Amino acid sequence: MTEEKEPRERIYQVSTNRERASHKLRYVEASAPIEEDCRLCVGSLTATAHNENEFSIAKTVYDDIARMAFLEKQLYSNQAYPPLFFYQALQQWRDTFLSLKVDNKVAGYSLMVPLADNALALMSLLIGKSFQGQGLGKELLQQSILLAQSLHYKRLELSVSPENKSAVCLYERFGFQTTDSIKDYLGPGEDRLLMSLPLAKT
């Protein structure tokens, strides 16, 4: 990934407007490069070499937060979510907050938040800098979708820049479809595609 970062929307009062699909949360595409890499695929779209180390995905627990916040800070510097955000998210959305661990150490996370009409928004998905390029982001996205299905949500939503072709392609591979295109969705010049994935019953 390049050192240059795109500005991201910072929302710390995460309890506000939770039921509106159009509220300004940091969805997964935020700060993802427009080149061949994206935040979800964490390396090239064909990267799959994650078998050198054992990894696991489970619900986030209190002891995961400190390292999670460290990985966030490492990637996004002064634009990173602070530890307070993660502790608050753990209290509010414990059932849809996943940690990915490599050799029992936190290497990434996924956070989904409830919307109206029995839907979820994929608010953020991150793989730590030293774990990128191993296909772990795809694994985490897949497990996030399976979790949403197991909790009987009807659909999973996200937003993405229309210029981020690699991310759009990845979402489409997982079955996401574009439902709307909104100009200035996150402010002037920040257009977004809204994408949605219908969730099959389990």
Side-chain angles (χ1 to χ4, degrees), residues 13-172:
Q13 296 299 323
V14 290
S15 59
T16 1
N17 291 331
R18 287 184 298 175
E19 295 185 352
R20 293 183 55 201
S22 60
H23 61 328
K24 294 183 180 179
L25 295 174
R26 182 190 70 184
Y27 289 131
V28 278
E29 101 294 346
S31 293
I34 296 174
E35 295 78 21
E36 291 302 316
D37 296 348
C38 72
R39 186 167 186 178
L40 283 182
C41 58
V42 290
S44 75
L45 290 172
T46 57
T48 56
H50 51 66
N51 55 0
E52 293 184 1
N53 301 304
E54 292 186 1
F55 75 93
S56 62
I57 299 172
K59 290 183 180 179
T60 297
V61 297
Y62 188 91
D63 290 342
D64 294 339
I65 299 298
R67 179 162 172 81
M68 191 177 291
F70 167 78
L71 295 175
E72 175 87 7
K73 183 74 172 178
Q74 189 179 47
L75 274 178
Y76 298 114
S77 188
N78 62 346
Q79 292 188 353
Y81 283 143
L84 176 63
F85 170 85
F86 293 109
Y87 287 117
Q88 187 178 6
L90 184 61
Q91 294 303 315
Q92 292 184 281
W93 305 307
R94 186 181 303 267
D95 290 340
T96 54
F97 193 2
L98 296 178
S99 290
L100 181 146
K101 296 180 180 179
V102 174
D103 294 335
N104 296 316
K105 295 179 65 175
V106 174
Y109 75 89
S110 167
L111 176 60
M112 298 179 290
V113 302
L115 300 175
D117 194 26
N118 200 29
L120 281 176
L122 185 54
M123 181 179 179
S124 186
L125 189 152
L126 175 144
I127 298 297
K129 190 173 183 179
S130 60
F131 299 97
Q132 295 179 2
Q134 303 176 43
L136 294 172
K138 291 181 181 179
E139 299 285 355
L140 188 51
L141 176 58
Q142 183 175 34
Q143 290 304 311
S144 298
I145 293 171
L146 291 175
L147 174 60
Q149 289 176 330
S150 72
L151 294 173
H152 307 295
Y153 283 96
K154 293 196 301 185
R155 67 184 184 279
L156 184 59
E157 299 182 356
L158 55 83
S159 73
V160 61
S161 168
E163 296 181 359
N164 196 339
K165 305 299 185 184
S166 59
V168 172
C169 179
L170 179 65
Y171 305 145
E172 289 177 343

